[in-house]
Each structure stands twice: as C-alpha cells, then as structure tokens.
Amino acid sequence: WGDDGHYAVCKIAQGYFEEETVVAVKKLLPESADGELAAVCSWPDEIKKLPQWRWTSALHFADTPDYKCNYEYSRDCPKDWCVTGAIFNYTNQLMSASENSKSIVRYNLTEALMFLSHYMGDIHQPLHEGFIGDLGGNKIKVHWYNQETNLHRVWDDMIIESALETYYNSSLPRMIQALQAKLKNGSNDVPSWESCQLNQTACPNPYASESIDLACKYAYRNATAGTTLGDYYFVSRLPVVEKRLAQGGIRLAATLNRIYSTKS
Ligand code: DCM
Ligand code: DCM
Ligand code: DCM
Ligand code: ZN
Ligand code: ZN
C-alpha cells in the first residue's frame, strides 16, 4: 500500500489494542509519532531505498509463480526472505523481548514494531503476492481513468485515492471511520479474522494465500497491459481493497495483542 493504506491499517489496528498492547506500543513509539502507531507505519517505505536499508526492500512482498494463483512458504519465501518471513521474524523479536525482560536486548524493538506493522499491511495488498514475471503488476502499464500508471500502483494508491475523492470528500479519517463502522456493525467477521491456527502468535501464510487468490480473481482480471481501467473496475474492486485494509488492521492488532498478552 501507499501512505494512505498503511495509515488506515494501523489506525484501524489501534482501535483493537488491548490495554497491555497500548502500554507496550506507547513505550516503543518514537517521540515523533506523538503516541500514534499510524504515524510511523510508512517508515519502512521511506527508508527502503537508502543504502543501509536496501536489504529490507524485498521484505515488502512475496511474489508467486506466474499464473499459478497459489502461495507456498517454502517455494515463495526462500530463506525466509519475503513479507511472510519478515512477519514471523519481527513477531519473534518482539516476543523474545516481552517474554523475558532480563534477556539481553539484541534488537531495536522500535524498528521491529514499525516493520511488523508495515508488513502486516503489505501482505494484505493482493498484488504483493502477485506474479514474479510482472513484479506484482509493476510491469503492467495501464491507464487509471486518463492517468498513466501501472497495475501495482492502482492497488497500492489509486483505488484508495479515487474512493477518497468520490465518497469521502478527500478525507482519509472519514474513510477510516466508515471502515470502522462497518467492522462494528456489519456481519461480524472480526473473530474469524483474529484467530490464528494452532495457537500461534503470528500466522501470515494464510493471508498471503488469500492475497494471491484475490489478485487472480480481481486485480489481474480484465487488466492486461494497455487497458484503461475506469468506473467498472473501480466500483467492483473497491470492496476488495476496503476488506483487505480492514483485515490488515484487525490482524495487526490481534498479533500485537498475542505478543503482549500477560495471559498464558
Ligand atoms: N517459519 C519461520 N519462522 C518462524 C515460524 C515459521 O521462518 N518463527 C517458517 C518455517 C515454515 C513456515 O514458516 O517452513 C511455515 O510456518 P507455519 O508452520 O507457521 O505455517
Ligand atoms: N513490489 C512487489 N513485487 C516486486 C517488486 C515490487 O510487490 N517484485 C512492490 C513493492 C512496492 C511497489 O511494488 O510496494 C513498488 O516497488 P519499488 O518501490 O521497489 O519500485
Ligand atoms: N467487511 C468488513 N469491512 C469491510 C469490508 C467487508 O467487515 N470494510 C466484511 C463484511 C462481510 C465480509 O467482510 O461480512 C465479506 O465482505 P464482502 O462481501 O465485501 O466480500
Ligand atoms: Zn506495493
Ligand atoms: Zn511496503
């Protein structure tokens, strides 16, 4: 996602933090965040092109084989070097510190929190598990209405931007409020989204599988190179984008709540 998507995911997550999580996150946030996790959720994108952080740039996605439309950890995350592996890794870093406060602090836990929060957003962007041959849609040149762009950017930014202009008076807080209201009042999927199989702390593999399934059914569908995407694509894909932002937020909160839960 772009900045707006990451802000939305983290803002939604904040509303589902348990008390222990609120306290732990507040301790780790940098001064500049002013107590808001959402304020720092795009940080991994800001630093990924700097020489000393270039190693993190492959951790934003997990490309999958062309036209397979499925995801497998061992095949698509070699040496744990992808978004799923990064979510396991940063969860483990935060866990080891929360379980044993006497352990030598080996990690920068502020960075771990910001990476985990960002990557939990990215794994829910369907094209972050897109095909390796087109770099998750980056190589597919399309028009978004009359604007030249690529399919990946349509899903990272353009659908959200158009939704803000069309439905939310260009206000991201209003869009987030609408997503929060749907979570509170709509048929309640939240418990199923929160749950992790086998009592694990983090379970990113099913999120990656969902993403490539959605990429094949919605993102790549009717969006070959040179296509002009407009009203029909926008209206039919926006519900998918909204659901993925909501799921990313709920699952980030659930993961942090499991990390910081004092219950055994
Ligand atoms: N995995 C990892 N680090 C962890 C947990 C899991 O690298 N802390 C990797 C190893 C497994 C893959 O994830 O091959 C699947 O994990 P799971 O058993 O959680 O589905
Ligand atoms: N991306 C991806 N798969 C790739 C390469 C990039 O999903 N194989 C994502 C990461 C960014 C976006 O596409 O969200 C643009 O990538 P970059 O910033 O590296 O140009
Ligand atoms: N959903 C939600 N919040 C959103 C989008 C969807 O809670 N922003 C829920 C409502 C539905 C479920 O997800 O019960 C499936 O949504 P859909 O029918 O849009 O795929
Ligand atoms: Zn992206
Ligand atoms: Zn990213």
Side-chain angles (χ1 to χ4, degrees):
W1 307 113
D3 290 349
D4 288 351
H6 284 290
Y7 187 89
V9 166
C10 286
K11 191 77 183 177
I12 289 165
Q14 285 176 233
Y16 287 80
F17 286 177
E18 281 157 15
E19 194 49 41
E20 295 110 310
T21 307
V22 172
V23 171
V25 167
K26 197 165 276 172
K27 280 187 193 157
L28 292 181
L29 282 178
E31 201 68 34
S32 63
D34 204 18
E36 289 265 328
L37 179 62
V40 294
C41 285
S42 289
W43 175 78
D45 277 336
E46 291 162 19
I47 54 119
K48 73 181 181 185
K49 305 263 154 115
L50 300 174
Q52 70 270 36
W53 289 109
R54 211 160 279 156
W55 61 273
T56 63
S57 64
L59 302 179
H60 294 254
F61 54 84
D63 292 338
T64 59
D66 294 2
Y67 312 116
K68 285 255 190 242
C69 297
N70 60 32
Y71 158 88
E72 279 173 33
Y73 188 90
S74 57
R75 183 192 64 195
D76 305 326
C77 202
K79 302 191 173 165
D80 305 319
W81 208 254
C82 81
V83 68
T84 349
I87 288 172
F88 283 125
N89 175 43
Y90 289 114
T91 299
N92 286 341
Q93 290 190 13
L94 293 168
M95 280 289 276
S96 65
S98 91
E99 275 170 354
N100 182 3
S101 52
K102 284 179 198 149
S103 73
I104 308 155
V105 179
R106 285 158 293 169
Y107 308 115
N108 182 327
L109 299 177
T110 296
E111 289 173 7
L113 174 66
M114 296 191 292
F115 280 125
L116 177 62
S117 302
H118 181 91
Y119 295 143
M120 190 63 82
D122 274 344
I123 197 172
H124 284 83
Q125 205 279 52
L127 286 174
H128 277 236
E129 281 71 31
F131 300 147
I132 204 157
D134 57 48
L135 303 178
N138 277 291
K139 286 189 180 169
I140 303 178
K141 294 209 160 124
V142 297
H143 283 84
W144 180 248
Y145 294 91
N146 57 17
Q147 202 175 338
E148 258 183 57
T149 184
N150 68 61
L151 189 61
H152 191 92
R153 291 211 54 209
V154 167
W155 282 76
D156 266 356
D157 299 301
M158 306 295 202
I159 295 173
I160 295 171
E161 258 175 48
S162 294
L164 289 173
E165 287 166 14
T166 309
Y167 301 117
Y168 300 105
N169 196 24
S170 297
S171 162
L172 182 59
R174 284 194 196 182
M175 180 167 177
I176 293 167
Q177 269 176 17
L179 295 175
Q180 288 168 327
K182 206 163 169 182
L183 285 169
K184 285 242 156 70
N185 309 323
S187 69
N188 210 354
D189 297 311
V190 171
S192 70
W193 293 353
E194 285 171 332
S195 72
C196 221
Q197 73 284 34
L198 308 167
N199 298 321
Q200 293 192 65
T201 308
C203 41
N205 283 316
Y207 315 157
S209 296
E210 292 166 358
S211 272
I212 181 56
D213 185 56
L214 292 168
C216 287
K217 288 185 174 135
Y218 296 98
Y220 285 121
R221 187 147 184 245
N222 295 332
T224 48
T227 310
T228 293
L229 304 173
D231 285 341
Y232 184 81
Y233 193 91
F234 171 53
V235 168
S236 53
R237 274 56 170 182
L238 177 59
V240 178
V241 168
E242 291 190 335
K243 183 174 180 179
R244 295 305 273 169
L245 295 174
Q247 283 182 318
I250 294 297
R251 285 159 168 177
L252 172 57
T255 303
L256 291 170
N257 287 338
R258 283 189 288 265
I259 290 170
Y260 292 113
S261 172
T262 50
K263 291 172 234 130
S264 57

